[in-house]
Amino acid sequence: MHNRIETIAQQSLQNNEISHEDAHYLSQVGNDEVYDLFYWANRIRQKYFGQTVKACSIVSAKQGKCTEDCSFCSQSSYHPTAIEKYNLIEENKIVAAALYAEHTGANSLGIVTSGYSIDNENEFDRVCHAISTISRDAHIHPHGSFGVLTREMADALAKSGLKRINHNLETSERFFRNICTTHTYADRLNTIYASKQAGLEICCGAIFGIGEETEDRIHLAFTLKKLDVDSVPLNFLHPIPGTPMENRSVLTPMEILKIISLFRFVLPDKEIKIAGGRGKNLRSLQSWMFYAGANSTMIGNYLTTKGKPGEEDLQMIKDLGLELERTSNDKMI
């Protein structure tokens, strides 16, 4: 067992902040030492979450025609992609997606709309009403991702019954301008601040494999720690034809597992969720994400790409001897 990795792990096990220098060291671990990294990341996960993991699902409630130019995103109007484009779907379809997600074993449903924000008052009211209906009729937590929010919008969503907002920083502040020019890092941070002030839980993470460097990953991890977010979704580039990143090579499974472990060391007591690009990038090593420190994953389809059938993911969790967390006052399965 590698002594320095163990020493750093002991700090994380006590929820003491590790240094940037230690984080850089962990990110450079190679050869057989990588298995020590995974071992300790798994130990940290077990301390704070035991054998329990979460599963979430999402519904793409409004898709495409986005005014923003994020270079990895298939929904941007700047990129000639072949994805289906549609306006906000009917409330009954959003509620049906929540009930289906509950049936498949998901703990939450993320309602996702494309665009800089929901700037149409009628659409925003419809979203709030759908959230209220889910809160009343389903045993699943309604979460949402609606672009940039004002404090007033965040308050209205919380009043409707929204439990958690998703708003990813995507990468470090230094690198952000390389992937988006139509809004700023400050815009994203302000949405997080407004949502926290409204009492919403914060789901905030990143996408990797977009040309960022190791230091960008480390700085992002420490930014999320400083923000004290509740959940950290880790996405991995799934290159889409028509986007500026369509020809970029995907990360290797082992590099992804090292990223997961790094975030577990930096954020020992936070939910770390493996989301978009999981199948494309991890391939046959998808079950290793839990061994590398993750305690949550997305099941079913992603926004514009297909995922595995939920039943397969639930079987994977069961085969690993892990327990699936359900919503409050509901038993484990």
Side-chain angles (χ1 to χ4, degrees):
M1 190 66 66
H2 193 278
N3 289 337
R4 184 169 180 185
I5 297 175
E6 180 177 0
T7 298
I8 301 170
Q10 292 299 334
Q11 294 176 251
S12 293
L13 284 165
Q14 299 304 315
N15 206 8
N16 294 325
E17 183 170 331
I18 68 172
S19 68
H20 282 248
E21 180 183 357
D22 284 340
H24 183 80
Y25 173 79
L26 294 174
S27 69
Q28 301 303 311
V29 165
N31 301 320
D32 289 346
E33 293 174 1
V34 74
Y35 299 104
D36 292 351
L37 178 71
F38 299 159
Y39 170 82
W40 285 110
N42 188 47
R43 285 281 302 274
I44 298 166
R45 175 190 65 79
Q46 288 176 322
K47 172 169 181 180
Y48 290 97
F49 302 97
Q51 292 300 99
T52 300
V53 297
K54 288 184 179 181
C56 76
S57 293
I58 59 173
V59 58
S60 186
K62 180 180 180 181
Q63 186 166 290
K65 298 183 285 187
C66 180
T67 59
E68 307 309 289
D69 67 351
C70 303
S71 57
F72 55 83
C73 185
S74 61
Q75 300 200 62
S76 172
S77 59
Y78 286 77
H79 313 323
T81 64
I83 67 161
E84 182 182 4
K85 303 173 180 65
Y86 50 81
N87 294 325
L88 184 67
I89 61 177
E90 294 83 1
E91 178 186 338
N92 66 328
K93 291 184 178 180
I94 298 175
V95 175
L99 294 173
Y100 178 75
E102 178 186 338
H103 173 74
T104 62
N107 176 272
S108 61
L109 176 77
I111 305 164
V112 184
T113 58
S114 65
Y116 176 77
S117 182
I118 304 181
D119 53 9
N120 181 295
E121 186 174 345
N122 177 262
E123 287 190 351
F124 186 73
D125 289 343
R126 288 166 57 196
V127 166
C128 288
H129 196 269
I131 292 167
S132 296
T133 302
I134 293 169
S135 297
R136 184 189 68 227
D137 297 343
H139 296 89
I140 191 169
H141 294 306
H143 296 174
S145 180
F146 310 115
V148 169
L149 300 177
T150 63
R151 173 63 190 276
E152 292 72 23
M153 293 171 74
D155 284 337
L157 290 166
K159 185 177 180 180
S160 298
L162 192 73
K163 182 178 179 65
R164 177 179 291 179
I165 198 75
N166 167 257
H167 197 68
N168 291 334
L169 290 179
E170 308 299 10
T171 188
S172 70
E173 184 171 11
R174 179 198 71 84
F175 191 71
F176 185 79
R177 61 181 178 272
N178 294 291
I179 62 168
C180 181
T181 66
T182 50
H183 64 269
T184 67
Y185 210 70
D187 290 332
R188 292 184 177 256
L189 288 170
N190 288 337
T191 290
I192 294 169
Y193 298 144
S195 299
K196 286 176 78 75
Q197 290 166 359
L200 292 169
E201 293 181 359
I202 306 298
C203 177
C204 182
I207 182 168
F208 303 96
I210 54 175
E212 80 284 353
E213 298 177 355
T214 297
E215 290 304 317
D216 296 305
R217 299 170 184 174
I218 293 171
H219 280 284
L220 174 66
F222 281 98
T223 297
L224 296 174
K225 187 173 184 69
K226 183 177 180 180
L227 288 170
D228 193 27
V229 302
D230 299 283
S231 178
V232 181
L234 305 183
N235 301 278
F236 304 94
L237 181 67
H238 182 148
I240 302 297
T243 66
M245 296 195 177
E246 63 179 327
N247 295 317
R248 183 173 289 279
S249 298
V250 299
L251 297 173
T252 67
M254 293 302 280
E255 182 67 17
I256 289 172
L257 294 171
K258 286 173 63 177
I259 292 171
I260 297 170
S261 292
L262 171 66
F263 274 71
R264 175 53 69 206
F265 272 76
V266 176
L267 302 156
D269 62 341
K270 302 300 184 183
E271 177 185 344
I272 294 182
K273 177 188 304 180
I274 309 309
R278 169 162 66 92
K280 175 75 172 179
N281 290 268
L282 280 174
R283 302 191 289 276
S284 63
L285 294 186
Q286 290 183 67
S287 65
W288 281 45
M289 61 186 172
F290 299 113
Y291 181 47
N295 69 301
S296 179
T297 191
M298 190 177 292
I299 61 173
N301 294 328
Y302 306 108
L303 280 178
T304 60
T305 58
K306 297 291 184 181
K308 294 169 61 178
E311 297 78 9
E312 291 186 21
D313 283 325
L314 297 182
Q315 187 64 52
M316 173 182 67
I317 291 169
K318 184 177 180 180
D319 290 345
L320 290 168
L322 300 172
E323 293 180 319
L324 185 65
E325 181 178 324
R326 303 305 296 267
T327 49
S328 300
N329 301 319
D330 213 350
K331 66 179 181 179
M332 304 290 185
I333 62 170

